[in-house]
Amino acid sequence: MAQGAVGNTLLDDDRPNTEQNISTAASWYTVIVLCLALLISFTDRLVINLVVDPIRADLILTDFEVSLLQGAGFAVIFALAGLPCGRLADWANRRNVIMTGIALWSVATIACGLAGDFWSFFAARVAVGLGEAALVPAASALIFDSFSSRRRGIALGIFSLGATFGTGVAMFVGGVVLAFASLEPIALIGPMAPWRQMFVLVGMPGLLLLPLLLLIREPQRRHISGLLPLAGVFRQLGADNGAVLRLCLSKGALGIGNYAFLSWLPTLLQRTHGMTPLEAGGLIALSITTSGVVASLAGGALSDWIVRRWGLAARIVPLLGCCTLAIAGASTTFFAATGQQMTLSFAIWAFGSISGYVIGHVVMQENVPNEMRATTIALSLTITALLGIGLGPTLVPLVAEHVFGGEANMQPAMATVSLGAALLSFVVIWPSVRKGLRAIGG
């Protein structure tokens, strides 16, 4: 399709007018503040991965129990609450939904640092998952309504930088706090174990962000039929050979590899390569931030360019390259001999996974009515939580023990889990990508 004809493919609510859209400056303010919220969300979610061994020692836990705190304790409620939060965001004021979630998960993160045993820690992680379930569905739909189709990719790409920087902040700042707290207690927190001080400290920024969210204006919703009934939601998910559902499953499969890496790479670098938490956190932060920034911006911008050139149906095509990069990153993990090589493999994986995340978010929302966009994103997050967060952290020690002979073989277990996840993602999304290729070829 010629570039000049692209406008004919746009949905009715992709034609902006002054009554439907808030100002450009306000739109970008919304993106930036929500990006900060996502950064804090991922920091609070992932910082536990940097202190596996101290938590294990203080609370007398096994690797399997720690994996439940990393994964299932967060993922189960995140998955169960995701769809109700998405439905709520499709009906209520999305900014207020986001603010409630931030307040809840911030307090719960602080509670993690005060936990005295496995079950109190587990309960706090459940509360973190409940609060974070509200953010991405509401934020993605809010951003989607603030931009035309020609800018949604880059807008959601910038928003996704919060996940990238949040991962890096969790690793680096967590390492800095641990290093400092090991020397002397942090004045505002008092004499607590360094890992406990870290949780209390990283839980505070979310509460400080709340006043900035009050300045966000809710864009006018561009639909007239109200909340879509669940029967209509299921019909939309099954339409076009289940294209939207395939996207959700493909992202969920990649999530298994994401959390296999994020949950155990810090521990691997410390146990096997003798790094301190600060060294491991800094190296992982550099890896994920560098690849993630490029992936988020390039993925969003590339998908926008493809829409301008060939139309909305072709936006899904770059997911083919995303899966290929993830396969390459997982494969090289088998052969990494140093900590630096391990993080390089992770960077390759992250480039494919993060760019796929950005593109998939836009494609999903462009293929459903406005009335169910937050619900669709929530479904995607639910599947990612069940498959990714729920399975990724736990599969690695299980594969290490039962396939490779023990916990010492963490590296080949990470590689096996992530490679299987990338191949599964490729198989699931291929029919939809093939249709996009026909749109380009036609």
Side-chain angles (χ1 to χ4, degrees), residues 51-195:
V51 287
V52 166
D53 285 340
I55 292 172
R56 184 186 183 195
D58 279 7
L59 301 184
I60 314 176
L61 306 178
T62 65
D63 274 350
F64 180 74
E65 288 174 320
V66 172
S67 77
L68 295 179
L69 296 177
Q70 293 171 296
F74 175 92
V76 170
I77 192 64
F78 187 85
L80 293 176
L83 286 174
C85 286
R87 295 283 285 174
L88 180 63
D90 278 328
W91 172 75
N93 183 292
R94 291 167 287 195
R95 182 201 64 187
N96 294 343
V97 171
I98 292 168
M99 291 182 67
T100 302
I102 292 175
L104 176 58
W105 91 58
S106 298
V107 172
T109 300
I110 294 172
C112 288
L114 306 177
D117 56 22
F118 171 81
W119 289 110
S120 58
F121 204 132
F122 189 87
R125 286 289 288 173
V126 166
V128 172
L130 179 60
E132 293 198 8
L135 175 61
V136 175
S140 297
L142 198 156
I143 292 171
F144 194 96
D145 275 349
S146 300
F147 293 88
S148 72
S149 64
R150 292 173 174 83
R151 292 186 178 181
R152 286 174 186 153
I154 191 64
L156 283 167
I158 292 174
F159 169 63
S160 298
L161 290 176
T164 298
F165 284 113
T167 303
V169 167
M171 297 297 112
F172 180 69
V173 174
V176 170
V177 172
L178 285 170
F180 181 78
S182 297
L183 299 176
E184 58 180 294
I186 297 174
L188 295 177
I189 300 176
M192 301 170 64
W195 70 266

